[in-house]
Each structure stands twice: as structure tokens, then as C-alpha cells.
Amino acid sequence: MKANFNLLIPTAFLLLALAGCKSNVKTADEVVVSEYNPTDARAFGMLGDVKEVHVTIIKDNAGPGEEPVVERDMLVMSFDQKGRITRDPYGNKYVYDADGNFIEGVSDKSTMERDSLGRIIAYANKLNDNDREQYGMSFFYDEQGRIATMTRSYWEVGYDDTLVYKSDKVYPDRFISDGAVESMVERVYIDYDYKKIDEKGNWTERTCKTLYKCWNAGEQESDAEVERWTTTEQRTIRYYSDEPEKPANEVAEDVDDRFFADIFGFGLLGHVKEVVTTSFTAYEDGKGALVKQAEIEGSRATISFDAEGRVTEDPYGGIYVYDAEGNFVKGASAMSIMKRDDQQRVVNYQTKQDDEDDAMFRNDYTYDPQGRLVKVNQVFWESTETSTFVYDGDEIYPKKRLFDNYDEGLHVTSETTYRYTQFDDHGNWTQRELRYKGTEAEEDGFNNNDVTHWDGAMIEERSISYY
């Protein structure tokens, strides 16, 4: 049985990036080093504040007409600025929320588990037992924190891998894999010869001598078909400390821009963490002011932001989960999507599973030239709502809201006028009075003058926390 070299590539270079030698991280950027947790890099055989690892694989002694380069500049590993792995040598992907929690892998069914030392011990991508695309991996470490053995299981395929080290080096001297592929038995031996090491202690070139055996289950290993080949692997490694550090004032400007994009976009000032708004019934005191009464049940609404100023929950049902690089990865459901404009303001948010999803909704946000929110258009399964905000001069808080709603033949309109009565030290309002009036009618009711009119008043109070 002739081995398929391309199919064997994942096995042959499973440990492409498991490398390095004794060395301290050398970097001019002490901030990067202090934030970079080396646990993941060390577990996967790397030293230093590694950002990305690319590999080129060249088959030695290629035959006539055979392309010697098997893979060229392939990304095999990456880490975020906190040192958390985002891609490992086995094709697994890792997406984290802003707090560093794993939320998604190669798909939304992926799971990952770490041990008490923070090392990854399991990764699985499995929907159920009938998932033919399922796979799982387990990692086991020796006393020096190096991966000593691994198990890999796929649909009707399984492998037990062993890494052999010399002394206390973190890169393996040998890799052995025993596998069962349906009725076939496979065994792979790879011996490594390291040629070049960079200043961080990570290898940048090595030779891999592979011995591949395959035989039918029930036969002896002596009956196996045998193949041998040699490859050269060359790595390009990027480190966070290679990147020039920004001046403090430049970093501050970037942060301010992000704050304006979301925090100011939703009508707030300062490094806001969370805002909880509560509504109360109210009545006129006869002197032009409102008197607060009972809290309106179910009226509490929350808007929140992460430490970078990105919105994580808005008052219109939007939930925003970001990865460690600040990319939106998940919303109110796994189907949620979000779009920003060229000024990084949220302009669209929607969650929809399919055309029959009665829980679907879509929000469109419109801003004026000053960056203030002037319209929110919401589309639901069988209804639409539009809120239009009117401002007075350069004020960042609206003086009026115009509301229009269509819901299964019922048309509701209202006009709310705001009066702001209390502010905190950051300039954000903490209490305001609302006076409203509205109409309600069947969709053709306005033509028949069959319209219900109503009005009222209430008070809103906000509790605001800051970073």
C-alpha cells in the first residue's frame, strides 16, 4: 500500500512549531512582556512573546518534475497580545471574549479545556455522536511542562502520539505516532535535526526524517509496507516585541477614538463601564416639575462597554462579544452579525437563523455629522419600530424622541419630550423627566378618524459605573 504523502503531511509535521531552547525572553518592550502570559507558548514549544509562526516545507530529493515545496509560508501558530493561543499546529482555532474566555473554535460547536496550570488539555469539535466531521484532541504534559503524549480521534480514525526529548530542551528529538484507520494500522517515526535557532531560542530550520509503516489489522508489523522521506522545514517567527512601541500620547489618542465611536455614539461621556436605566411613574406637581412614584415593572435597561470602550450591550437588544483582537465574534445568538461604518460606529446589528425565525430582529443605527445617534430602525418578525431623536444645538442629549411602530396592522406613534434634571461629575445625566403623547389605530384607522389618543409622564434614573 503506497502512502499518500499529502495526506500524511498533518501527521508528519504535527510538531512543526514545538520548538525552542533554554532562553529568557529578550525584548525592549517591557509592557508587552508584562502582559504576555507564556503558558500557551511554552506548552506548544515556543519561547518569547510569539505572535505568529509561518512554515515552509521542502521535500528533499524530489523526483523529476515533482514540486519540492510542499507548503509555502503556511501559518501554523498564532497568539494574541496576552499570550493566549489563537491557532495551534494542528489546525485548531481559539476565539476568546474580552475577558479571555474561550467562546468559539474552528466552529461554534468547538470546546476547549485547560488544567489548573492554565495549559490546554483538551480540544473537541463535535456536534453529536453522528457527526462525521467530529474530532477531539487531548494533551498530556511531562514534569517540565512539555507535551509528552497526545491522543487524536476522528470519525473511525484514532492516533496515539508520543514526543521524545533530549535533556531539558523544549523541542522534541523524535515524534512517534500509532494509528488505526478503519482496518489499517499506521506507524510513523519522525527524527528531527535542528539546523538554525533564533535569538529567542526558537528553531527556524530543521530536517525531518520520516519512516512510515502501514499494514492490515491482524497482520504483523513485519508485513508492513514501508516508505521513507526527508523534508526540510523553515520557520518565520514574528514577535510582539519586534513591533515599534507607540508613544504614550499616540496610544491615548487611539483609545479616545474608540471611546467616541461607541460610548459617545450612544450618548455618553467618559470611560463608561455600565449604565442601568430605571423608569418610574410620575405626576405633575403643579409647579412644572414631576414627582416620582413607583418603579415600572420590567423597565430596567442596560448598556455596557468593555475596557476598550467597545459596546457589549446596547439598549435595543444588541449583545456584542469580541475576541482578544477586538473583532466581533458573537451576539445575542451565534447567528448575530454586526457592521460598523468607516468611523467605527455600529450601524447595523441583526440576528436571524433563517427566514422562519420568529425571534429574528434587525437594528439600523443612523448618526448625524456630530456623531450623535439620530435614528434607530428596528425590524422584527411581524413589526417595525423607528425612533428618531431631535437635538437642541450642540447638546449631546436629545430633547425629543419621535416613535413610529407597525405591528400586525396596528399603528402606534408617539412624541416624547425630555427635561434633564440631574448630572454626574462626568457630564452624563442621571435623572430626566419624560412627557409623552401618542396615538394608536388600526392601519387604516387614521383615514376613518378611529384613533385613540393618550399621554402621560414618567421619570428615568440612571446608575452609571466607570472604569
Side-chain angles (χ1 to χ4, degrees):
M1 173 181 176
K2 183 173 177 61
N4 186 321
F5 181 78
N6 288 327
L7 291 177
L8 285 171
I9 288 174
T11 301
F13 65 84
L14 278 175
L15 303 178
L16 289 173
L18 296 185
C21 64
K22 293 182 294 182
S23 172
N24 293 324
V25 175
K26 299 176 182 178
T27 173
D29 189 347
E30 295 180 359
V31 175
V32 170
V33 173
S34 67
E35 292 183 349
Y36 195 95
N37 186 326
T39 299
D40 282 357
R42 170 76 184 192
F44 287 95
M46 301 295 297
L47 297 172
D49 53 333
V50 181
K51 182 177 183 178
E52 290 183 352
V53 180
H54 293 252
V55 68
T56 294
I57 303 175
I58 304 169
K59 184 179 180 182
D60 294 5
N61 302 318
E66 183 179 4
E67 170 59 50
V69 178
V70 179
E71 296 287 350
R72 189 185 302 275
D73 196 34
M74 178 177 63
L75 176 65
V76 293
M77 260 202 300
S78 59
F79 302 83
D80 65 21
Q81 289 182 312
K82 301 292 185 181
R84 296 178 292 246
I85 194 162
T86 54
R87 183 184 183 93
D88 70 20
Y90 320 109
N92 298 322
K93 296 180 181 180
Y94 303 75
V95 179
Y96 309 91
D97 64 17
D99 296 318
N101 302 304
F102 176 84
I103 55 175
E104 190 173 0
V106 292
S107 73
D108 56 10
K109 63 185 177 183
S110 301
T111 58
M112 183 266 284
E113 182 182 355
R114 295 180 182 270
D115 64 13
S116 60
L117 299 177
R119 301 173 303 193
I120 297 168
I121 58 175
Y123 189 102
N125 191 65
K126 178 180 178 180
L127 185 61
N128 53 50
D129 290 338
N130 295 319
D131 183 0
R132 289 181 174 271
E133 296 181 351
Q134 66 171 282
Y135 72 89
M137 303 187 70
S138 296
F139 304 91
F140 303 90
Y141 299 83
D142 63 14
E143 293 180 353
Q144 297 189 49
R146 304 173 300 193
I147 295 178
T149 60
M150 296 184 298
T151 62
R152 296 177 287 130
S153 60
Y154 307 87
W155 181 261
E156 299 182 342
V157 179
Y159 296 93
D160 292 314
D161 304 327
T162 301
L163 285 70
V164 180
Y165 299 86
K166 278 186 177 180
S167 63
D168 59 353
K169 296 185 183 297
V170 298
Y171 48 83
D173 185 61
R174 188 176 229 209
F175 172 72
I176 305 170
S177 179
D178 287 297
V181 183
E182 297 180 345
S183 62
M184 302 302 296
V185 178
E186 291 182 345
R187 179 165 293 166
V188 178
Y189 300 90
I190 307 176
D191 292 299
Y192 302 105
D193 183 12
Y194 295 89
K195 303 296 186 179
K196 296 180 181 179
I197 306 294
D198 71 8
E199 63 178 10
K200 303 283 188 179
N202 295 313
W203 68 266
T204 56
E205 184 175 319
R206 71 180 178 184
T207 299
C208 311
K209 294 182 178 180
T210 301
L211 170 62
Y212 171 80
K213 294 183 178 182
C214 179
W215 64 93
N216 290 313
E219 294 181 350
Q220 301 299 314
E221 184 176 354
S222 58
D223 299 321
E225 295 187 22
V226 179
E227 288 194 42
R228 292 180 172 85
W229 63 83
T230 301
T231 57
T232 297
E233 297 176 352
Q234 299 170 342
R235 294 201 307 187
T236 301
I237 306 172
R238 294 176 58 195
Y239 299 92
Y240 281 101
S241 52
D242 292 338
E243 300 174 359
E245 184 180 0
K246 286 185 177 182
N249 61 340
E250 197 174 318
V251 173
E253 288 176 5
D254 287 349
V255 172
D256 287 342
D257 287 341
R258 286 200 299 273
F259 287 171
F260 275 105
D262 284 356
I263 294 179
F264 184 79
F266 283 99
L268 291 153
L269 298 170
H271 198 171
V272 178
K273 183 176 184 180
E274 183 180 74
V275 180
V276 179
T277 303
T278 306
S279 301
F280 301 85
T281 58
Y283 68 89
E284 294 277 358
D285 66 354
K287 299 179 182 180
L290 295 181
V291 178
K292 185 176 71 174
Q293 295 293 289
E295 178 180 338
I296 300 174
E297 185 177 354
S299 68
R300 294 195 178 190
T302 300
I303 180 170
S304 58
F305 306 87
D306 65 17
E308 300 298 320
R310 296 178 292 248
V311 63
T312 55
E313 181 176 0
D314 72 26
Y316 306 101
I319 301 295
Y320 305 75
V321 179
Y322 308 91
D323 64 16
E325 305 300 326
N327 303 303
F328 177 83
V329 294
K330 191 176 182 181
S333 75
M335 308 301 296
S336 301
I337 61 174
M338 181 266 285
K339 294 181 180 179
R340 294 180 180 271
D341 62 13
D342 57 4
Q343 297 183 50
Q344 292 304 302
R345 300 172 301 196
V346 178
V347 293
N348 171 259
Y349 183 100
Q350 58 183 306
T351 180
K352 177 180 179 181
Q353 186 169 352
D354 52 46
D355 291 338
E356 302 300 322
D357 183 5
D358 59 4
M360 65 80 65
F361 71 93
R362 171 190 173 111
N363 298 338
D364 292 302
Y365 305 89
T366 304
Y367 304 84
D368 67 10
Q370 293 177 252
R372 301 176 299 192
L373 189 64
V374 292
K375 182 179 289 187
V376 179
N377 189 65
Q378 299 181 269
V379 179
F380 304 95
W381 176 246
E382 293 182 337
S383 65
T384 60
E385 292 183 1
T386 301
S387 295
T388 302
F389 300 97
V390 180
Y391 296 84
D392 188 6
D394 294 330
E395 293 291 338
I396 68 169
Y397 311 120
K399 70 173 183 179
K400 186 180 295 185
R401 183 186 81 148
L402 306 176
F403 178 78
D404 204 306
N405 169 255
Y406 288 92
D407 188 358
E408 295 184 343
L410 187 66
H411 186 193
V412 177
T413 65
S414 69
E415 180 179 308
T416 301
T417 301
Y418 302 107
R419 178 174 178 264
Y420 298 90
T421 55
Q422 294 181 24
F423 295 83
D424 67 9
D425 293 339
H426 295 269
N428 293 313
W429 69 265
T430 55
Q431 185 182 83
R432 69 180 179 184
E433 299 176 349
L434 292 76
R435 293 171 175 81
Y436 54 85
K437 57 184 178 180
T439 59
E440 180 178 310
E442 294 297 328
E443 202 158 321
D444 61 351
F446 290 106
N447 296 327
N448 300 325
N449 295 320
D450 184 13
V451 180
T452 300
H453 297 268
W454 41 270
D455 58 45
M458 62 181 182
I459 289 176
E460 287 183 342
E461 292 184 346
R462 297 201 302 190
S463 173
I464 307 174
S465 61
Y466 298 86
Y467 285 97

